[in-house]
Amino acid sequence: MGEEIKVIVFKLGNEEYGVEVDKVQSIERMVPITRVPKTYSFIKGVFNMRGIVIPVIDLRGRFGLPEAEYTDQTRIIIVAVHDMQVGFIVDAANDVIDLNSSSIDTPPEVVGGVRAKYLRGVAKISDDRLLIMLNLSEVLNKSEVVQLESVEE
């Protein structure tokens, strides 16, 4: 048996994704975001959270999914990636579950339109519910981190 991990469940479209709680620093409501010129289109800009400038990425754009209007359910999940705080815009974040790490299978090449390199695996929660686990270090690759670090300054 694998170890139990706590996972925050969030939605993009009809798919449910998960990220380990220990990588998440906070979940915020949508806030005004300052655009930053000459960045990747999925980098929406930055916002100031308690004195820290945090770059914000739209995960839909990152994964090549169609953009959606922001709603009352839209959230920014603040995660720590490569010793840096980054906000991910998601459609909703409303659940924390315990997951056995042995229930996470290797992802197929594409899940819900998202390439496997961004994914850690797929966990079967119940007969009709799958959870797509993100690989945070791949969601932001090294050159994008360098670009984001220049955004922070």
Short mmCIF file of all heavy atoms in Angstrom, two decimals, residues 10-17 41-42 44 57-70 89-91 110-115 118-119 132 134 139:
data_model
loop_
_atom_site.label_atom_id
_atom_site.label_comp_id
_atom_site.label_asym_id
_atom_site.label_seq_id
_atom_site.Cartn_x
_atom_site.Cartn_y
_atom_site.Cartn_z
N PHE A 10 -9.41 20.59 -7.97
CA PHE A 10 -9.92 21.78 -8.66
C PHE A 10 -10.41 21.38 -10.03
O PHE A 10 -10.12 20.29 -10.52
CB PHE A 10 -8.86 22.89 -8.74
CG PHE A 10 -7.64 22.55 -9.53
CD1 PHE A 10 -7.58 22.81 -10.89
CD2 PHE A 10 -6.54 21.98 -8.92
CE1 PHE A 10 -6.46 22.51 -11.62
CE2 PHE A 10 -5.40 21.67 -9.65
CZ PHE A 10 -5.36 21.94 -11.01
N LYS A 11 -11.21 22.26 -10.63
CA LYS A 11 -11.82 21.96 -11.92
C LYS A 11 -11.32 22.88 -13.01
O LYS A 11 -11.09 24.07 -12.79
CB LYS A 11 -13.34 22.11 -11.83
CG LYS A 11 -14.02 21.00 -11.09
CD LYS A 11 -15.51 21.05 -11.32
CE LYS A 11 -15.92 19.66 -11.59
NZ LYS A 11 -17.20 19.25 -11.70
N LEU A 12 -11.13 22.29 -14.19
CA LEU A 12 -10.96 23.03 -15.44
C LEU A 12 -11.98 22.41 -16.38
O LEU A 12 -11.83 21.24 -16.75
CB LEU A 12 -9.55 22.84 -16.00
CG LEU A 12 -8.40 23.51 -15.27
CD1 LEU A 12 -7.09 23.14 -15.93
CD2 LEU A 12 -8.56 25.01 -15.23
N GLY A 13 -12.99 23.15 -16.75
CA GLY A 13 -14.05 22.57 -17.57
C GLY A 13 -14.72 21.45 -16.79
O GLY A 13 -15.05 21.60 -15.62
N ASN A 14 -14.88 20.30 -17.45
CA ASN A 14 -15.53 19.16 -16.80
C ASN A 14 -14.55 18.22 -16.10
O ASN A 14 -14.96 17.23 -15.52
CB ASN A 14 -16.34 18.36 -17.83
CG ASN A 14 -17.46 19.19 -18.41
OD1 ASN A 14 -18.05 20.02 -17.73
ND2 ASN A 14 -17.74 19.00 -19.69
N GLU A 15 -13.27 18.51 -16.23
CA GLU A 15 -12.26 17.61 -15.65
C GLU A 15 -11.88 18.04 -14.25
O GLU A 15 -11.80 19.23 -13.95
CB GLU A 15 -10.99 17.60 -16.52
CG GLU A 15 -11.20 17.26 -17.96
CD GLU A 15 -11.56 15.81 -18.20
OE1 GLU A 15 -11.33 14.96 -17.31
OE2 GLU A 15 -12.06 15.51 -19.29
N GLU A 16 -11.59 17.04 -13.40
CA GLU A 16 -11.10 17.33 -12.06
C GLU A 16 -9.61 17.05 -12.00
O GLU A 16 -9.14 16.03 -12.47
CB GLU A 16 -11.83 16.45 -11.03
CG GLU A 16 -13.25 16.88 -10.80
CD GLU A 16 -13.89 16.12 -9.66
OE1 GLU A 16 -13.86 14.87 -9.68
OE2 GLU A 16 -14.40 16.77 -8.74
N TYR A 17 -8.89 17.98 -11.41
CA TYR A 17 -7.44 17.87 -11.27
C TYR A 17 -7.10 17.89 -9.79
O TYR A 17 -7.88 18.38 -8.98
CB TYR A 17 -6.74 19.04 -11.97
CG TYR A 17 -6.91 19.05 -13.46
CD1 TYR A 17 -8.06 19.56 -14.05
CD2 TYR A 17 -5.92 18.53 -14.29
CE1 TYR A 17 -8.23 19.55 -15.42
CE2 TYR A 17 -6.08 18.53 -15.67
CZ TYR A 17 -7.24 19.04 -16.22
OH TYR A 17 -7.40 19.03 -17.58
N SER A 41 1.27 33.93 -23.60
CA SER A 41 -0.15 34.32 -23.53
C SER A 41 -0.85 33.71 -22.32
O SER A 41 -1.81 34.29 -21.81
CB SER A 41 -0.86 33.89 -24.81
OG SER A 41 -0.79 32.49 -24.95
N PHE A 42 -0.39 32.56 -21.83
CA PHE A 42 -1.07 31.95 -20.68
C PHE A 42 -0.67 32.61 -19.36
O PHE A 42 -1.28 32.35 -18.33
CB PHE A 42 -0.84 30.44 -20.63
CG PHE A 42 0.61 30.04 -20.53
CD1 PHE A 42 1.26 30.03 -19.30
CD2 PHE A 42 1.31 29.67 -21.67
CE1 PHE A 42 2.60 29.66 -19.21
CE2 PHE A 42 2.65 29.32 -21.59
CZ PHE A 42 3.29 29.31 -20.36
N LYS A 44 -1.10 35.50 -17.25
CA LYS A 44 -2.10 36.57 -17.24
C LYS A 44 -1.55 37.86 -16.64
O LYS A 44 -2.10 38.92 -16.85
CB LYS A 44 -3.35 36.13 -16.47
CG LYS A 44 -4.14 35.07 -17.23
CD LYS A 44 -4.59 35.62 -18.57
CE LYS A 44 -5.26 34.60 -19.44
NZ LYS A 44 -5.34 34.99 -20.82
N ILE A 57 -0.85 32.41 -13.77
CA ILE A 57 -0.97 31.63 -15.00
C ILE A 57 -2.39 31.12 -15.13
O ILE A 57 -2.95 30.62 -14.14
CB ILE A 57 -0.01 30.43 -14.95
CG1 ILE A 57 1.41 30.94 -15.08
CG2 ILE A 57 -0.32 29.40 -16.02
CD1 ILE A 57 2.42 29.87 -14.96
N ASP A 58 -2.96 31.24 -16.30
CA ASP A 58 -4.26 30.64 -16.56
C ASP A 58 -4.01 29.20 -17.00
O ASP A 58 -3.45 28.96 -18.07
CB ASP A 58 -4.99 31.42 -17.65
CG ASP A 58 -6.45 31.00 -17.78
OD1 ASP A 58 -6.74 29.80 -17.62
OD2 ASP A 58 -7.29 31.87 -18.04
N LEU A 59 -4.40 28.24 -16.15
CA LEU A 59 -4.12 26.84 -16.47
C LEU A 59 -4.84 26.39 -17.74
O LEU A 59 -4.33 25.55 -18.46
CB LEU A 59 -4.51 25.91 -15.31
CG LEU A 59 -3.44 25.69 -14.25
CD1 LEU A 59 -3.88 24.61 -13.28
CD2 LEU A 59 -2.10 25.33 -14.84
N ARG A 60 -6.02 26.97 -18.02
CA ARG A 60 -6.70 26.62 -19.28
C ARG A 60 -5.80 26.96 -20.46
O ARG A 60 -5.61 26.17 -21.37
CB ARG A 60 -8.02 27.37 -19.41
CG ARG A 60 -9.14 26.80 -18.60
CD ARG A 60 -10.37 27.70 -18.73
NE ARG A 60 -11.56 26.99 -18.33
CZ ARG A 60 -12.29 26.24 -19.16
NH1 ARG A 60 -11.97 26.12 -20.42
NH2 ARG A 60 -13.35 25.61 -18.71
N GLY A 61 -5.24 28.18 -20.44
CA GLY A 61 -4.35 28.61 -21.52
C GLY A 61 -3.09 27.76 -21.56
O GLY A 61 -2.60 27.41 -22.63
N ARG A 62 -2.56 27.42 -20.38
CA ARG A 62 -1.34 26.62 -20.31
C ARG A 62 -1.52 25.27 -20.98
O ARG A 62 -0.65 24.75 -21.64
CB ARG A 62 -0.93 26.44 -18.84
CG ARG A 62 0.30 25.58 -18.66
CD ARG A 62 1.44 26.30 -19.33
NE ARG A 62 2.70 25.67 -19.14
CZ ARG A 62 3.52 25.34 -20.14
NH1 ARG A 62 3.14 25.53 -21.39
NH2 ARG A 62 4.69 24.83 -19.92
N PHE A 63 -2.70 24.70 -20.76
CA PHE A 63 -2.98 23.36 -21.28
C PHE A 63 -3.62 23.38 -22.67
O PHE A 63 -3.99 22.35 -23.20
CB PHE A 63 -3.89 22.59 -20.33
CG PHE A 63 -3.27 22.29 -18.99
CD1 PHE A 63 -4.06 22.02 -17.90
CD2 PHE A 63 -1.89 22.25 -18.83
CE1 PHE A 63 -3.50 21.73 -16.66
CE2 PHE A 63 -1.32 21.97 -17.59
CZ PHE A 63 -2.13 21.70 -16.51
N GLY A 64 -3.76 24.59 -23.25
CA GLY A 64 -4.35 24.67 -24.58
C GLY A 64 -5.84 24.43 -24.61
O GLY A 64 -6.40 24.09 -25.64
N LEU A 65 -6.50 24.63 -23.48
CA LEU A 65 -7.96 24.47 -23.42
C LEU A 65 -8.60 25.82 -23.76
O LEU A 65 -7.98 26.86 -23.59
CB LEU A 65 -8.38 24.03 -22.01
CG LEU A 65 -7.76 22.71 -21.52
CD1 LEU A 65 -8.07 22.49 -20.04
CD2 LEU A 65 -8.26 21.55 -22.35
N PRO A 66 -9.86 25.80 -24.21
CA PRO A 66 -10.50 27.07 -24.55
C PRO A 66 -10.66 27.95 -23.31
O PRO A 66 -10.89 27.45 -22.21
CB PRO A 66 -11.87 26.66 -25.11
CG PRO A 66 -12.06 25.24 -24.72
CD PRO A 66 -10.72 24.65 -24.46
N GLU A 67 -10.51 29.27 -23.50
CA GLU A 67 -10.68 30.18 -22.37
C GLU A 67 -12.13 30.19 -21.93
O GLU A 67 -13.03 29.89 -22.71
CB GLU A 67 -10.25 31.60 -22.76
CG GLU A 67 -8.76 31.76 -22.77
CD GLU A 67 -8.31 33.22 -22.74
OE1 GLU A 67 -9.12 34.09 -22.33
OE2 GLU A 67 -7.17 33.47 -23.11
N ALA A 68 -12.34 30.54 -20.65
CA ALA A 68 -13.70 30.62 -20.12
C ALA A 68 -13.83 31.92 -19.33
O ALA A 68 -12.83 32.46 -18.85
CB ALA A 68 -13.99 29.43 -19.22
N GLU A 69 -15.05 32.40 -19.23
CA GLU A 69 -15.30 33.59 -18.41
C GLU A 69 -14.99 33.26 -16.96
O GLU A 69 -15.24 32.15 -16.49
CB GLU A 69 -16.78 33.99 -18.51
CG GLU A 69 -17.19 34.52 -19.87
CD GLU A 69 -16.61 35.90 -20.13
OE1 GLU A 69 -16.66 36.76 -19.24
OE2 GLU A 69 -16.10 36.11 -21.25
N TYR A 70 -14.47 34.25 -16.23
CA TYR A 70 -14.27 34.05 -14.80
C TYR A 70 -15.62 34.22 -14.10
O TYR A 70 -16.42 35.07 -14.49
CB TYR A 70 -13.25 35.06 -14.25
CG TYR A 70 -11.89 34.93 -14.89
CD1 TYR A 70 -11.10 36.04 -15.13
CD2 TYR A 70 -11.37 33.68 -15.25
CE1 TYR A 70 -9.85 35.93 -15.71
CE2 TYR A 70 -10.12 33.55 -15.83
CZ TYR A 70 -9.36 34.68 -16.06
OH TYR A 70 -8.13 34.56 -16.63
N ILE A 89 -4.87 30.07 -12.22
CA ILE A 89 -6.30 30.35 -12.31
C ILE A 89 -7.01 29.05 -12.70
O ILE A 89 -6.67 28.43 -13.71
CB ILE A 89 -6.60 31.44 -13.35
CG1 ILE A 89 -5.92 32.74 -12.96
CG2 ILE A 89 -8.12 31.64 -13.50
CD1 ILE A 89 -6.03 33.84 -14.01
N VAL A 90 -8.00 28.67 -11.89
CA VAL A 90 -8.79 27.46 -12.15
C VAL A 90 -10.27 27.81 -12.09
O VAL A 90 -10.64 28.83 -11.53
CB VAL A 90 -8.45 26.33 -11.14
CG1 VAL A 90 -6.97 25.98 -11.22
CG2 VAL A 90 -8.82 26.71 -9.72
N ASP A 91 -11.10 26.96 -12.69
CA ASP A 91 -12.54 27.24 -12.74
C ASP A 91 -13.18 27.17 -11.36
O ASP A 91 -14.11 27.91 -11.06
CB ASP A 91 -13.25 26.27 -13.70
CG ASP A 91 -12.81 26.48 -15.14
OD1 ASP A 91 -12.15 27.50 -15.43
OD2 ASP A 91 -13.13 25.62 -15.97
N VAL A 110 -2.45 11.67 -23.54
CA VAL A 110 -3.28 12.88 -23.45
C VAL A 110 -4.48 12.56 -22.59
O VAL A 110 -5.11 11.52 -22.77
CB VAL A 110 -3.76 13.34 -24.86
CG1 VAL A 110 -4.74 14.49 -24.75
CG2 VAL A 110 -2.57 13.75 -25.72
N VAL A 111 -4.78 13.45 -21.63
CA VAL A 111 -5.97 13.29 -20.80
C VAL A 111 -6.74 14.59 -20.85
O VAL A 111 -6.19 15.63 -20.52
CB VAL A 111 -5.59 13.00 -19.32
CG1 VAL A 111 -6.85 12.86 -18.48
CG2 VAL A 111 -4.74 11.76 -19.21
N GLY A 112 -7.99 14.54 -21.30
CA GLY A 112 -8.79 15.76 -21.36
C GLY A 112 -8.13 16.85 -22.18
O GLY A 112 -8.25 18.02 -21.87
N GLY A 113 -7.36 16.48 -23.19
CA GLY A 113 -6.69 17.45 -24.03
C GLY A 113 -5.36 17.95 -23.47
O GLY A 113 -4.72 18.79 -24.06
N VAL A 114 -4.95 17.44 -22.31
CA VAL A 114 -3.72 17.90 -21.67
C VAL A 114 -2.62 16.86 -21.90
O VAL A 114 -2.82 15.68 -21.65
CB VAL A 114 -3.95 18.11 -20.15
CG1 VAL A 114 -2.66 18.54 -19.48
CG2 VAL A 114 -5.04 19.14 -19.92
N ARG A 115 -1.45 17.32 -22.37
CA ARG A 115 -0.35 16.40 -22.65
C ARG A 115 0.20 15.79 -21.36
O ARG A 115 0.25 16.43 -20.32
CB ARG A 115 0.76 17.14 -23.39
CG ARG A 115 0.37 17.51 -24.80
CD ARG A 115 1.56 17.67 -25.72
NE ARG A 115 2.59 18.55 -25.20
CZ ARG A 115 2.58 19.88 -25.32
NH1 ARG A 115 1.58 20.48 -25.93
NH2 ARG A 115 3.58 20.60 -24.85
N TYR A 118 2.64 17.25 -18.40
CA TYR A 118 2.15 18.12 -17.33
C TYR A 118 1.51 17.34 -16.18
O TYR A 118 1.13 17.91 -15.18
CB TYR A 118 1.11 19.12 -17.85
CG TYR A 118 1.61 20.01 -18.95
CD1 TYR A 118 0.88 20.20 -20.11
CD2 TYR A 118 2.82 20.68 -18.85
CE1 TYR A 118 1.33 21.02 -21.13
CE2 TYR A 118 3.29 21.50 -19.86
CZ TYR A 118 2.54 21.67 -20.99
OH TYR A 118 2.98 22.49 -22.00
N LEU A 119 1.38 16.04 -16.37
CA LEU A 119 0.62 15.23 -15.43
C LEU A 119 1.51 14.27 -14.66
O LEU A 119 2.44 13.70 -15.21
CB LEU A 119 -0.46 14.44 -16.18
CG LEU A 119 -1.34 15.26 -17.11
CD1 LEU A 119 -2.32 14.35 -17.83
CD2 LEU A 119 -2.06 16.35 -16.36
N ILE A 132 -7.07 13.91 -12.16
CA ILE A 132 -5.84 14.07 -12.92
C ILE A 132 -4.85 14.82 -12.03
O ILE A 132 -5.09 15.97 -11.65
CB ILE A 132 -6.11 14.85 -14.22
CG1 ILE A 132 -7.19 14.13 -15.05
CG2 ILE A 132 -4.83 15.03 -15.01
CD1 ILE A 132 -7.79 14.96 -16.15
N LEU A 134 -1.51 16.81 -11.20
CA LEU A 134 -0.57 17.67 -11.92
C LEU A 134 0.86 17.40 -11.50
O LEU A 134 1.15 17.10 -10.35
CB LEU A 134 -0.85 19.15 -11.62
CG LEU A 134 -2.05 19.78 -12.28
CD1 LEU A 134 -2.00 21.29 -12.07
CD2 LEU A 134 -2.13 19.47 -13.75
N VAL A 139 4.55 21.90 -15.28
CA VAL A 139 3.57 22.93 -15.68
C VAL A 139 4.32 24.23 -15.95
O VAL A 139 3.97 24.99 -16.84
CB VAL A 139 2.48 23.10 -14.59
CG1 VAL A 139 1.61 24.31 -14.88
CG2 VAL A 139 1.61 21.85 -14.51
#
